[in-house]
Amino acid sequence: MKKIISLALAAVLAIPMLTGCSGKAPTGSVSTDGSTSMEKVIGTLGEAFQNDTGITFTYNPTGSGSGIKAVQEGRCDIGLSSRNLKDEEKSSGLNETVLAYDGIAIIVNNENNVSDLSLENISKIFKGEIKNWSEVGGADSEIVLIGREAGSGTRDGFESITDTKEACKYRQELTSTGDVLTTVSQNPAAIGYASAASVKDSVKALTIDGVAATESAIKDGSYIVQRPFVLVTKNDTKLSEAAQKFFDFITSPDANELISAAGVVSAN
């Protein structure tokens, strides 16, 4: 059964059900589905929206490809994708709105003494051309490549930027950001990638060509491994009143501070 995160459930995200500012009972609901990398930012925005309006907000973390499909099939109001829509997806009637920009962190185990890699070496590592950590200043240990599943927006963004599409020699292909973080944290020889906003102290994020994945570096483009966080809707289907209200809120300047607090850079 697919895991569904509801901001109405205190047991999940500790967010109480509230009535709107007018004191009237809330009406309607808004459902989102897609990118696991967007969990922190969409959760932050959903919490603020629900607390302010009392409208129920839900998020189903299925991955970018599944979120796009959910919009196409009418199973959610707004899809969440951590990649731009493909031409064929746009021609099928889908529309994209960039919410924010996120750095893709290259992560290693905390025991790894490597702290910086060039983009060129990252590409060689994931293509299997560099096989041992000693070749890039690390321990004499075989490099273990951890990636995301086909259809993942994070994988699409990473492989596009590093020019490794269809060439990565993954040991494991995992289905969520959390799984990548956990796997890398448990293997001293592992390297993977994940949304910079999702990185925890359990792993180490490398600098790329000397640049860390900070908000300022993502905003000015000096950190080059980055991708968009996209809201996906259908051109021929009008959003419900509740969903439109949520969409308008998160794409307005009023949401910029919340987006920044979630560790990503607002597109507005």
Side-chain angles (χ1 to χ4, degrees):
M1 178 180 294
K2 292 181 179 177
K3 169 184 155 191
I4 297 179
I5 294 177
S6 172
L7 297 184
L9 297 177
V12 180
L13 289 180
I15 299 167
M17 282 294 293
L18 301 177
T19 58
C21 297
S22 65
K24 297 179 180 179
T27 58
S29 63
V30 54
S31 61
T32 63
D33 189 307
S35 172
T36 62
S37 298
M38 292 177 68
E39 180 169 343
K40 186 173 182 180
V41 66
I42 207 67
T44 298
L45 293 169
E47 176 181 358
F49 176 76
Q50 181 167 285
N51 285 346
D52 186 54
T53 66
I55 295 172
T56 301
F57 169 86
T58 59
Y59 161 59
N60 193 10
T62 59
S64 297
S66 295
I68 292 168
K69 187 175 181 180
V71 175
Q72 288 176 320
E73 297 178 350
R75 292 185 282 107
C76 71
D77 295 306
I78 299 170
L80 308 171
S81 174
S82 49
R83 64 166 173 81
N84 289 117
L85 292 180
K86 300 174 182 178
D87 289 341
E88 58 267 30
E89 292 167 339
K90 292 179 180 178
S91 63
S92 73
L94 296 181
N95 182 62
E96 68 177 22
T97 302
V98 178
L99 174 70
Y101 294 95
D102 176 54
I104 299 175
I106 312 304
I107 57 172
V108 297
N109 187 276
N110 282 325
E111 295 180 16
N112 196 321
N113 64 353
V114 173
S115 58
D116 179 81
L117 287 172
S118 67
L119 187 65
E120 179 181 5
N121 279 346
I122 290 169
S123 177
K124 289 181 177 179
I125 286 171
F126 278 86
K127 287 178 179 178
E129 296 171 8
I130 294 177
K131 300 178 183 294
N132 194 292
W133 282 111
S134 62
E135 298 178 64
V136 288
D140 183 9
S141 176
E142 180 186 0
I143 299 173
V144 176
L145 302 178
I146 307 299
R148 288 291 304 277
E149 81 286 4
S152 160
T154 309
R155 173 170 170 166
D156 183 82
F158 171 80
E159 293 184 353
S160 295
I161 295 164
T162 58
D163 193 25
T164 56
K165 276 190 177 295
E166 309 299 329
C168 289
K169 308 298 183 183
Y170 296 120
R171 177 77 61 84
Q172 289 180 268
E173 298 179 33
L174 305 174
T175 58
S176 75
T177 299
D179 288 343
V180 173
L181 294 173
T182 298
T183 301
V184 173
S185 73
Q186 295 174 347
N187 189 336
I191 184 171
Y193 49 80
S195 165
S198 302
V199 173
K200 303 175 182 178
D201 292 339
S202 59
V203 295
K204 178 169 67 174
L206 302 178
T207 55
I208 309 304
D209 290 310
V211 181
T214 62
E215 181 177 343
S216 60
I218 294 168
K219 194 169 187 175
D220 66 22
S222 57
Y223 185 80
I224 58 178
V225 189
Q226 58 172 282
R227 43 64 190 281
F229 277 173
V230 173
L231 306 175
V232 184
T233 53
K234 294 180 74 173
N235 287 322
D236 61 355
T237 303
K238 185 178 180 180
L239 289 174
S240 68
E241 183 178 352
Q244 187 65 57
K245 183 177 292 188
F246 177 70
F247 185 95
D248 292 343
F249 164 63
I250 65 176
T251 57
S252 74
D254 292 339
N256 287 354
E257 187 173 338
L258 292 170
I259 292 172
S260 179
V264 292
V265 180
S266 175
N268 301 303

